[in-house]
Amino acid sequence: MSIGTFGNIYSDELITATELNRQPGRVLDKALERPVTITRNDQSFALLRREEVTSLVKAATQSKAVFEALTVAFSLLLGKEIGFEHPYGWLSVFDTDDLQEFIKELSEAFRLIDSSITAWEMIDAIIHEWHESGIAIASPELAAAFSAETDEVPLTKPSAHSAV
């Protein structure tokens, strides 16, 4: 279930706590179809399927991560210093073009959350891959390995050494 599914959440049916006590089966059947609001005095309670709640919590949590990652990327583009201790500080190793590409990829994936059942997995994968690349770029061992002079010896063709 996507966030868009709940765009009109408050048009659900209102049920009193008394009705819930008298006809729990009927109320639960309604909650299978759409969210139900149960009212008691001045309080309101939402009744919806656990899968829907799980989806909403996941969407809220992951939306926060997307927002934070994009905020850091935009801040870096504006020249702000972000320390490596920040959860998205690893983005500071990328240049302007890379940051713009990261923003583009993440934004495009986020736009798919209402239309693709795999959008959240795509978002997780994008952040993970960029994070791994950031770690690799920041690694002094890898930097040394890539910049080291090679002591490769070119191989000669086997036919040149085949004697009698």
Side-chain angles (χ1 to χ4, degrees):
M1 168 156 305
S2 67
I3 291 176
T5 305
F6 288 104
N8 204 11
I9 194 166
Y10 294 112
S11 68
D12 56 348
E13 188 167 347
L14 296 176
I15 304 285
T16 65
T18 304
E19 286 179 84
L20 175 62
N21 286 333
R22 289 183 183 155
Q23 299 178 342
R26 184 179 71 82
V27 173
L28 290 173
D29 288 343
K30 287 180 185 259
L32 282 173
E33 297 171 19
R34 66 177 188 266
V36 172
T37 297
I38 301 163
T39 60
R40 182 180 71 180
N41 301 325
D42 291 335
Q43 299 172 324
S44 296
F45 304 89
L47 178 62
L48 51 149
R49 296 179 59 216
R50 184 171 183 86
E51 295 85 13
E52 293 172 359
V53 173
T54 300
S55 178
L56 288 172
V57 170
K58 181 178 180 180
T61 302
Q62 290 184 299
S63 294
K64 182 180 175 185
V66 169
F67 178 79
E68 187 69 22
L70 290 174
T71 298
V72 168
F74 279 117
S75 295
L76 289 166
L77 284 176
L78 294 173
K80 185 176 178 186
E81 296 280 330
I82 305 289
F84 221 75
E85 70 282 353
H86 186 283
Y88 293 96
W90 50 266
L91 284 168
S92 63
V93 302
F94 294 107
D95 64 18
T96 300
D97 290 339
D98 289 335
L99 288 170
Q100 289 173 345
E101 183 62 27
F102 173 75
I103 290 168
K104 179 182 173 206
E105 284 182 33
L106 194 54
S107 298
E108 286 174 357
F110 190 73
R111 283 187 198 101
L112 297 175
I113 61 171
D114 284 337
S115 61
S116 172
I117 60 172
T118 61
W120 289 120
E121 289 79 13
M122 288 171 38
I123 289 169
D124 286 341
I126 289 168
I127 292 173
H128 176 76
E129 289 170 11
W130 279 88
H131 184 212
E132 292 294 314
S133 295
I135 290 170
I137 291 169
S139 168
E141 292 83 10
L142 284 176
F146 283 122
S147 64
E149 291 288 323
T150 59
D151 56 350
E152 295 176 3
V153 178
L155 298 175
T156 57
K157 290 183 180 180
S159 60
H161 291 295
S162 50
V164 184

